[in-house]
Amino acid sequence: MSNRRSPRTRTVTRAARGASRAARPAVHAAAVVDPRAHSRLVVDGLKQAPSRAMLRAVGFGDQDFDKPQVGIVSTWADLTPCNMHIEELAREAAGGADTAGGKSVTFHTITVSDGISMGTPGMRYSLVSREVIADSIEAVAGAEGFDGLVAIGGCDKNMPGCAMALARLNRPAVFVYGGTIRPGAQRRDIISVFEAVGARAAGRIDDQQLLEVERTAIPGPGSCGGMYTANTMASAIEALGLSLPGSSAQDAVGAAKREDCRRAGAAVMALLREGIRPRDILTRRAFENAITVVIALGGSTNAVLHLLAIARAARVRLALDDFTRVGRRVPVLADLKPSGAYLMSELVAIGGIQPLMRRLLSAGLLHGDCLTVTGRTLAQNLEDVEDYPQDQRIIRPMSEPIKRDSHLVVLYGNVAPEGAVAKITGQEGVSFTGRARVFEGEEAATAAILADRVRPGEVVVIRHEGPRGGPGMREMLSPTSAITGRGLGGRVALITDGRFSGGSHGFVVGHIAPEAAVGGPIVLLRNGDRITIDAVRRRIDVDLSAAELRRRHQAWKPRRPFAEHGLLAKYARMVSSASEGAVTDL
């Protein structure tokens, strides 16, 4: 075989004219960029003939060995509507990379469905899957020598898992959101079904009505339709600069999403030529932008967990208190489900999140100098964005917010010395005091709520659901939906060392740390203890003396682990506190 070509290199300057040094610290003027820095090690030279032979069998021709290789990460699976269409989108992204001069190679990672496993033991694998997704993408890209990546995610854990892997690998990359689902009959979505279960238990609807909701809520492909975790994280990743403008606010089915994928493939080739990598984009200021957009949209509490984890992968210092610091000056502007009235598809119809970001930028709430995957700054991307139609009601003006500061409230106190995260929109009030009703796990709590054994004024305590104790930190959508369905919304509070679905609403506090499994104070609570949640003072406390808490702790004995072998056991041994993002690579 003839000798391979010598390395092709080029000299680049800053791709984003006017980008600040803080926005792009790792790429310097006159830096030498080799777009094939990784694939060259796999396919160039005499000794790599076996590698080339293997790749010829999967479709490589002679000319392909001289092209940058772009890995297309597909999270396709037909086990959930969130991901059932992503294989088609992966083909579009591959075509975009090939047309722009690259050689695409598609590979897959896993997905699990939160909506299907919710309320069952299988939900323990949900947050665990985020780590598996990140690890698997890192493993494949690292082994195969891809020069760049396009990752396409649809369900809740796909997105942060993909972003974590892109940050770890630090190779030119673009994330693409699979898109939101269209509404079902009567504007229903998956949360409509969960709440209908509670309504049926309360006798407010009959079996036939429940069946009708079940049959009509999910009409086809796409992620859950409100500002739940999937749409929240898609918006956050776009605000970080890892997605092309508009990617987070598109229907799953349609020409716009297919074009977004083609453009993403081409964009990775441009990033390769310019030498722009994820950690050039994922700066601390970019994470502040993401927090700002999540708050303005009224997004999921899971964004706290996932942004902490992505920041860890990007080697950026981010802590719970940063959400408080940013949140003091950012209003909630979007009237979106679950706390509001509108669906994501309705926001898409009026322009998505780009006009909102432009408003936030104009108000001085976003860092416009942050670099993005377009090679331009955030401010430059927003220059030509038009405002929303005047008659729309989904996004409030800055002067008339739904809430003047963040709905994501970080609480401390003798129940949560390392912090907890509440979702307080103001509709629930800003404080709650009640007597504890303690449950060891989600199933017991849900059964009691559906059986009408939880009374107004009580604080439902669900423990042993943390990252280690669950393990896997299950989402408490079933009990919170049962509370709403039974008409107890706003009349009871719920606290847990687990977490919440983006579809949960009401007076709820999750991520309580330290968790019960490691002896955190939540494990010491008893029925009848008086608990106060104060969102103004940012406190969650039980009316017990320090001496009494010490006495109870001395009598406490750890529970036997839920899993003693396999993936869940391995995760439980490795996982960090929720206050650190519940990651496994500290």
Side-chain angles (χ1 to χ4, degrees):
M1 181 176 286
S2 62
N3 292 332
R4 311 301 305 159
R5 288 186 189 174
S6 60
R8 290 177 295 172
T9 59
R10 64 190 299 272
T11 300
V12 298
T13 57
R14 292 185 186 275
R17 294 178 299 277
S20 71
R21 185 176 298 275
R24 191 179 173 187
V27 180
H28 304 285
V32 176
V33 174
D34 178 6
R36 293 189 55 235
H38 298 283
S39 63
R40 188 179 303 285
L41 301 175
V42 176
V43 301
D44 281 14
L46 179 66
K47 75 179 182 66
Q48 294 309 120
S51 303
R52 294 192 294 274
M54 295 283 284
L55 289 170
R56 289 180 190 279
V58 297
F60 275 60
D62 288 342
Q63 70 280 8
D64 292 325
F65 296 115
D66 293 319
K67 299 175 182 177
Q69 290 187 29
V70 178
I72 309 296
V73 186
S74 171
T75 58
W76 169 85
D78 64 3
L79 59 81
T80 170
C82 309
N83 295 67
M84 61 187 285
H85 62 302
I86 285 180
E87 195 73 346
E88 176 188 352
L89 300 184
R91 287 193 292 270
E92 297 286 357
D98 292 341
T99 301
K103 175 56 180 173
S104 64
V105 181
T106 300
F107 66 99
H108 294 80
T109 185
I110 66 161
T111 187
V112 303
S113 172
D114 291 2
I116 295 171
S117 62
M118 193 75 68
T120 77
M123 186 63 188
R124 288 184 169 89
Y125 288 93
S126 171
L127 188 58
V128 178
S129 77
R130 184 190 72 181
E131 307 302 299
V132 176
I133 290 164
D135 291 350
S136 66
I137 296 170
E138 178 188 350
V140 174
E144 301 304 315
F146 296 133
D147 300 298
L149 293 153
V150 177
I152 310 170
C155 203
D156 295 11
K157 308 311 168 296
N158 302 159
M159 286 173 276
C162 287
M164 289 162 66
L166 302 184
R168 289 182 197 171
L169 289 159
N170 202 32
R171 301 177 190 183
V174 175
F175 175 80
V176 177
Y177 179 40
T180 190
I181 196 170
R182 290 173 179 167
Q186 299 182 38
R187 300 178 65 251
R188 291 180 178 129
D189 65 359
I190 186 62
I191 305 305
S192 306
V193 189
F194 278 98
E195 294 183 356
V197 172
R200 177 65 191 91
R204 292 163 53 200
I205 62 174
D206 60 26
D207 288 343
Q208 192 59 38
Q209 289 171 305
L210 174 58
L211 182 60
E212 197 266 335
V213 173
E214 174 189 330
R215 285 174 169 169
T216 61
I218 311 295
S223 298
C224 299
M227 189 48 64
Y228 312 143
T229 303
N231 283 316
T232 297
M233 287 312 302
S235 302
I237 292 171
E238 181 176 328
L240 281 171
L242 273 186
S243 294
L244 293 174
S247 182
S248 70
Q250 292 172 333
D251 289 334
V253 178
K257 181 49 65 183
R258 293 193 296 274
E259 176 62 19
D260 181 39
C261 294
R262 287 191 291 271
R263 291 174 58 234
V268 170
M269 292 301 299
L271 294 171
L272 279 164
R273 289 189 291 270
E274 298 294 344
I276 299 173
R277 298 174 295 172
R279 287 187 218 151
D280 304 326
I281 293 167
L282 296 175
T283 64
R284 182 174 171 83
R285 289 159 71 85
F287 279 96
E288 291 178 349
N289 285 346
I291 294 169
T292 296
V293 169
V294 166
I295 292 168
L297 289 168
S300 167
T301 53
N302 280 318
V304 178
L305 201 69
H306 296 325
L307 286 172
L308 289 172
I310 298 167
R312 177 79 192 184
R315 305 176 187 176
V316 170
R317 289 186 177 274
L318 193 71
L320 277 177
D321 291 343
D322 291 313
F323 289 82
T324 299
R325 176 178 55 82
V326 174
R328 285 195 176 102
R329 61 192 184 93
V330 180
V332 178
L333 299 174
D335 187 17
L336 293 166
K337 288 189 174 187
S339 299
Y342 295 94
L343 290 162
M344 188 67 177
S345 59
E346 294 168 315
L347 178 60
V348 170
I350 64 166
I353 72 167
Q354 289 278 295
L356 171 64
M357 290 175 67
R358 179 159 184 174
R359 287 185 181 185
L360 293 168
L361 179 66
S362 297
L365 298 176
L366 290 178
H367 303 296
D369 58 354
C370 287
L371 186 66
T372 74
V373 292
T374 64
R376 292 156 55 87
T377 65
L378 181 70
Q380 289 170 334
N381 289 344
L382 295 172
E383 280 176 357
D384 298 324
V385 172
E386 296 182 0
D387 199 9
Y388 294 114
Q390 289 189 352
D391 60 349
Q392 64 85 28
R393 298 177 178 273
I394 303 173
I395 303 296
R396 298 276 189 88
M398 297 291 294
S399 59
E400 299 176 20
I402 293 170
K403 191 172 185 286
R404 294 197 175 276
D405 59 1
S406 179
H407 65 301
L408 299 176
V409 181
V410 177
L411 308 171
Y412 294 94
N414 65 0
V415 172
E418 293 179 5
V421 180
K423 186 176 185 179
I424 307 294
T425 65
Q427 297 177 12
E428 313 85 354
V430 294
S431 65
F432 193 102
T433 298
R435 298 289 177 179
R437 282 293 307 277
V438 180
F439 299 96
E440 307 295 344
E442 175 188 1
E443 287 85 354
T446 302
I449 296 163
L450 292 175
D452 199 26
R453 295 199 302 270
V454 171
R455 307 259 62 86
E458 292 183 328
V459 178
V460 175
V461 179
I462 304 178
R463 63 193 183 197
H464 289 107
E465 292 287 3
R468 183 176 298 182
M473 207 177 179
R474 289 191 291 179
E475 293 179 345
M476 300 294 112
L477 181 56
S478 291
T480 59
S481 296
I483 285 170
T484 300
R486 289 206 67 94
L488 291 170
R491 303 168 69 194
V492 301
L494 189 152
I495 70 172
T496 180
D497 54 3
R499 59 195 176 95
F500 296 106
S501 162
S504 293
H505 57 106
F507 213 107
V508 297
V509 181
H511 306 204
I512 287 178
E515 62 175 291
V518 299
I522 189 173
V523 82
L524 310 178
L525 301 179
R526 297 176 182 172
N527 287 332
D529 287 343
R530 190 169 182 268
I531 297 172
T532 296
I533 307 162
D534 189 331
V536 176
R537 295 176 58 238
R538 301 179 185 272
R539 300 282 304 181
I540 178 168
D541 293 290
V542 58
D543 189 12
L544 296 172
S545 67
E548 173 60 15
L549 287 170
R550 283 195 301 271
R551 188 184 68 78
R552 292 187 186 185
H553 194 272
Q554 289 170 356
W556 168 74
K557 294 182 179 179
R559 293 199 335 172
R560 183 174 178 175
F562 177 86
E564 296 184 301
H565 68 280
L567 177 59
L568 292 180
K570 179 167 59 176
Y571 178 85
R573 288 193 297 269
M574 299 174 66
V575 70
S576 72
S577 166
S579 63
E580 298 172 306
V583 297
T584 56
D585 62 344
L586 279 180

